[in-house]
Amino acid sequence: MTHDQLHYFTKLTKFLGTALGPDYEVALHDMANNDGALVAIANNYISGRKLGDPLFDNAKKMVTDRRYEIDDFVEHYYTMTQHGKVLRSSSMFIKDEYGRLAGILCINFDDNRFHDISQKIMELCHPDAYVEANFVFDQNRVPDKLSGDVKIGSTSSDITVATELKEIFKKHHLNPTRLTFDDKMMIVTELNRKGVFLIKNAVKDVAKAINSSPASVYRYLANLKENG
């Protein structure tokens, strides 16, 4: 970016971060030498990034695909931070007088606390089973990779669910970060055959492990029942 562009968009970054509020991270990336280094950021506690850090991977792909030659901005796509937090992102391409990419201004919205509040409100009115079967905030929020290994809890039931999942992943040589629909159906089928879903909270644990919502797992189980 030119000096004038950098000065203007740095002020805009600070303004947007203040005006939009604490759930919005606003990040300015300079595309000088195509490195996309972070040169200004507001509310950086959301992603934990600091000045000099690179673009998120999906933004890098937009640059590689030269998306800026077609669009001036891309809105409402999903980003995962290094800590596994899912953000809803929008990016504006900053161009020079010749249409070349000079920088990228990104707004990353962290809706996790609103999601949690919404689910807690539902739980005040309905039992847990109803919420698991019917509460779907936004299934598109599910990222394309798992942020960690299957969590093994402190109770014997938690350990059973985690153990069965790990055995299935190993047996079928599955990558938890790249599961297809058929893979997920197969996993649910095997777990159901072993009686895992009789364990309390098993649906939630399985949904997290296979990057699906509890509602999706219930649908998989319903399909099994319908197909005998």
Side-chain angles (χ1 to χ4, degrees):
M1 284 186 287
T2 65
H3 175 77
D4 288 342
Q5 284 178 321
L6 185 60
H7 179 69
Y8 172 79
F9 283 103
T10 297
K11 289 197 299 182
L12 183 61
T13 297
K14 182 177 180 180
F15 166 72
L16 289 173
T18 302
L20 293 174
D23 298 299
Y24 289 84
E25 177 185 84
V26 186
L28 178 64
H29 293 268
D30 188 0
M31 294 307 299
N33 301 319
N34 293 321
D35 63 358
L38 187 61
V39 292
I41 187 168
N43 304 331
N44 69 314
Y45 49 81
I46 289 176
S47 69
R49 292 183 298 166
K50 60 186 182 299
L51 297 182
D53 281 354
L55 288 162
F56 283 127
D57 288 343
N58 45 9
K60 286 181 181 178
K61 187 175 187 306
M62 291 180 195
V63 175
T64 301
D65 293 343
R66 306 179 77 87
R67 183 72 179 270
Y68 56 89
E69 294 182 350
I70 302 172
D71 300 306
D72 292 323
F73 56 86
V74 178
E75 74 279 9
H76 306 312
Y77 61 91
Y78 289 92
T79 299
M80 176 184 276
T81 70
Q82 62 179 344
H83 304 298
K85 182 183 293 184
V86 181
L87 307 175
R88 192 178 76 218
S89 301
S90 297
S91 295
M92 183 181 77
F93 301 120
I94 304 167
K95 306 174 188 179
D96 65 16
E97 58 187 304
Y98 302 106
R100 295 175 300 201
L101 186 63
I104 301 178
L105 180 65
C106 300
I107 299 177
N108 303 308
F109 175 47
D110 178 9
D111 65 356
N112 285 279
R113 72 184 181 105
F114 298 103
H115 180 208
D116 293 340
I117 290 171
S118 297
Q119 186 158 359
K120 284 181 171 58
I121 291 173
M122 286 286 288
E123 289 171 352
L124 290 174
C125 307
H126 301 287
D128 288 344
Y130 177 89
V131 175
E132 288 182 355
N134 295 280
F135 180 75
V136 181
F137 183 70
D138 184 352
Q139 293 185 48
N140 290 324
R141 296 177 71 254
V142 178
D144 63 359
K145 62 181 180 179
L146 196 63
S147 59
D149 293 331
V150 177
K151 181 180 180 181
I152 299 178
S154 58
T155 67
S156 59
S157 63
D158 288 330
I159 294 173
T160 301
V161 173
T163 301
E164 294 294 342
L165 282 164
K166 287 187 175 181
E167 286 182 2
I168 292 173
F169 288 145
K170 183 178 180 180
K171 175 183 175 183
H172 296 282
H173 307 288
L174 296 176
N175 182 344
T177 70
R178 293 291 183 270
L179 297 176
T180 65
F181 172 79
D182 289 338
D183 290 335
K184 293 178 182 181
M185 279 298 302
M186 180 272 295
I187 291 169
V188 170
T189 300
E190 289 204 16
L191 292 176
N192 186 57
R193 188 177 66 248
K194 294 180 179 182
V196 169
F197 291 106
L198 297 176
I199 299 171
K200 184 179 180 181
N201 295 324
V203 168
K204 287 183 179 179
D205 294 338
V206 172
K208 182 176 180 180
I210 66 173
N211 272 348
S212 292
S213 69
S216 293
V217 175
Y218 275 109
R219 283 197 292 273
Y220 297 151
L221 289 169
N223 287 339
L224 292 179
K225 186 176 181 181
E226 291 176 1
N227 296 324

